[in-house]
């Protein structure tokens, strides 16, 4: 499929397999269309927090209504070949997930954004890319926060091949350096088959794993996930010849809670956004005073940020 990137190709339906191993990826009925390669913009080196506040200030948001930037992007999508089955293939900066990564965007993905529907992996990953470019790239935050692709580590893949998933996680840890200073690895984890999203944030230097779930409960709901994460951390420290001074500590963070059945993906993205913007490696057990709850406006703000980013990156 990647051979077609950057050219106009009538691509056979039976040869397109977008992220087939990922349960959180919607099943697209992709027809003949264009697979377009998108190059990332040049690095900006302003103060990260200042860029975030500026972006939010420039995009007025009224809770429950569509902003001007969202309506503009929706019109662009409506007038594009995406509405007729075309797709976009986007190359991410290697720094996002520690290795080359490309994501496929199709009509269904954009509709999740426009209609405030349950989020699939494409929108989750694209907003992560936005945070990397807008908040982190070219700053010291790249040494403090790292992302793990949800397409590589999720409940479905752990069930199929837990050893392979564990090794993928170890490889991600190895790609980021020695991890002797405090930093966080963000894993947006999906329960499988388009299910629930939670955030797992790992501090390898202090052997702390933070668990953030916008529904009640803790990691005991996903024992295979906890087992795989623990095994990967232990294997990584063994490969680095670090002594395990203590057991791995899991902390359930009393984070904001969703009040419907669709917001879990938005909450996971907002958790990461706020932790990075506050530049906090240690996540308080009672969460941050600044964000004890999330309103619809908090989620709409993120959607507008992503809409602006998609327009600026000329993805459509």
């Amino acid at each position: 499929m990647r051979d077609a990137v950057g050219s106009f190709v009538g691509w056979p339906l039976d040869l397109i397999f977008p992220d087939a191993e990922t349960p959180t990826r919607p099943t697209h009925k992709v027809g003949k269309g264009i697979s377009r390669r998108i190059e990332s913009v040049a690095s900006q080196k302003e103060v990260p927090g200042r860029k975030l506040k500026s972006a939010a200030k420039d995009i007025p948001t009224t809770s429950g209504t569509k902003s001007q930037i969202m309506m503009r992007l929706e019109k662009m999508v409506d007038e594009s070949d995406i509405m007729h089955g075309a797709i976009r293939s986007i190359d991410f900066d290697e720094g996002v997930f520690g290795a080359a990564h490309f994501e496929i965007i199709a009509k269904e993905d954009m509709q999740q954004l426009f209609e405030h529907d349950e989020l699939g992996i494409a929108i989750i990953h694209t907003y992560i890319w936005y945070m990397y470019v807008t908040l982190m790239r070219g700053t010291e935050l790249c040494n403090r926060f790292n992302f793990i692709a949800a397409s590589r580590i999720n409940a479905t893949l752990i069930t199929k091949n837990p050893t392979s998933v564990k090794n993928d996680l170890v490889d991600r840890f190895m790609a980021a350096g020695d991890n002797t200073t405090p930093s966080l690895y963000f894993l947006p984890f999906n329960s499988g088959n388009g299910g629930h999203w939670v955030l797992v944030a790992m501090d390898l230097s202090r052997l702390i794993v933070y668990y953030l779930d916008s529904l009640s409960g803790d990691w005991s709901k996903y024992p295979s996930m906890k087992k795989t994460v623990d095994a990967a951390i232990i294997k990584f420290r063994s490969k680095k010849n670090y002594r395990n001074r203590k057991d791995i500590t899991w902390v359930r963070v009393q984070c904001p809670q969703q009040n419907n059945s669709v917001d879990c993906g938005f909450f996971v993205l907002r958790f990461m956004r706020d932790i990075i913007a506050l530049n906090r490696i240690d996540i308080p057990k009672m969460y941050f005073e600044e964000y004890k709850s999330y309103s619809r406006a908090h989620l709409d703000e993120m959607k507008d940020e992503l809409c602006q980013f998609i327009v600026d990156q000329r993805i459509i």
Side-chain angles (χ1 to χ4, degrees):
M1 178 177 170
R2 292 185 68 98
D3 291 340
V5 175
S7 60
F8 293 78
V9 179
W11 202 253
L13 175 63
D14 60 347
L15 292 182
I16 298 180
F17 305 95
D19 217 350
E21 287 295 321
T22 305
T24 55
R25 172 79 199 168
T27 302
H28 301 303
K29 296 180 181 178
V30 182
K32 297 179 180 180
I34 302 169
S35 181
R36 179 181 299 170
R37 184 172 183 172
I38 309 296
E39 299 296 340
S40 58
V41 297
S43 174
Q44 302 177 28
K45 295 188 178 181
E46 302 171 10
V47 177
R50 187 178 303 163
K51 287 191 290 185
L52 183 63
K53 292 177 183 177
S54 174
K57 183 179 179 181
D58 292 342
I59 305 172
T61 301
T62 303
S63 179
T65 64
K66 293 183 178 179
S67 65
Q68 290 185 352
I69 186 60
M70 179 175 286
M71 289 189 291
R72 176 186 172 189
L73 179 58
E74 191 169 17
K75 185 174 186 293
M76 292 171 63
V77 171
D78 287 341
E79 295 175 350
S80 75
D81 54 1
I82 287 181
M83 295 302 295
H84 305 288
I87 60 174
R88 300 293 185 264
S89 178
I90 315 166
D91 284 344
F92 285 15
D93 304 58
E94 288 193 8
V96 179
F97 294 122
H101 179 88
F102 77 97
E103 199 64 53
I104 292 172
I105 298 287
K107 178 177 72 173
E108 291 86 349
D109 303 305
M110 301 307 302
Q111 289 174 337
Q112 294 166 14
L113 189 61
F114 299 147
E115 304 304 324
H116 197 91
D117 203 351
E118 296 180 45
L119 295 184
I121 201 163
I123 295 299
I124 294 286
H125 279 176
T126 304
Y127 191 83
I128 286 174
W129 182 35
Y130 157 78
M131 288 190 290
Y132 176 83
V133 170
T134 306
L135 294 176
M136 296 170 53
R137 189 170 61 187
T139 76
E140 56 91 23
L141 294 179
C142 287
N143 298 321
R144 292 174 61 81
F145 301 103
N146 304 279
F147 300 105
I148 299 168
S151 55
R152 304 297 297 274
I153 301 171
N154 53 64
T156 300
L157 295 180
I158 289 174
T159 300
K160 289 181 179 180
N161 194 336
T163 300
S164 176
V165 173
K166 177 188 70 176
N167 291 336
D168 280 346
L169 192 50
V170 172
D171 289 344
R172 179 65 183 103
F173 295 156
M174 297 292 288
D178 60 11
N179 293 286
T180 56
T181 57
S183 64
L184 284 181
Y185 287 82
F186 292 122
L187 168 61
F189 180 79
N190 190 270
S191 62
N193 300 317
H196 183 55
W197 288 99
V198 301
L199 179 63
V200 179
M202 295 160 272
D203 182 344
L204 303 186
S205 68
R206 296 185 298 169
L207 292 179
I208 297 176
V209 179
Y210 299 100
Y211 179 88
L212 293 86
D213 189 344
S214 56
L215 294 177
S216 60
D218 61 18
W219 53 84
S220 62
K221 293 189 293 185
Y222 312 112
S224 60
M225 178 272 290
K226 182 180 184 299
K227 181 179 179 180
T228 300
V229 168
D230 285 347
I233 293 174
I234 292 171
K235 182 174 181 179
F236 163 75
R237 292 183 65 86
S238 175
K239 292 184 70 161
K240 285 288 191 177
N241 294 318
Y242 298 153
R243 289 190 300 172
N244 289 322
R245 302 182 305 276
K246 58 181 180 177
D247 293 334
I248 299 169
T249 300
W250 283 67
V251 177
R252 188 193 190 284
V253 178
Q254 302 298 315
C255 54
Q257 300 288 284
Q258 66 189 83
N259 58 9
N260 57 33
S261 61
V262 302
D263 277 350
C264 57
F266 292 103
F267 272 58
V268 162
L269 293 176
R270 186 79 201 197
F271 295 152
M272 291 188 285
R273 178 192 188 275
D274 292 340
I275 293 166
I276 295 170
L278 293 171
N279 196 8
R280 292 285 298 272
I281 299 299
D282 58 316
I283 305 175
K285 187 173 182 179
M286 301 306 294
Y287 205 55
F288 304 108
E289 287 295 332
E290 296 91 335
Y291 300 106
K292 285 297 186 182
S293 63
Y294 291 147
S295 66
R296 176 61 183 266
H298 284 106
L299 309 186
D300 288 345
E301 180 182 29
M302 292 192 306
K303 292 190 295 185
D304 290 346
E305 289 168 350
L306 185 54
C307 287
Q308 185 67 63
F309 183 69
I310 290 172
V311 170
D312 291 344
Q313 295 289 324
R314 298 190 177 97
I315 291 174
I316 304 303

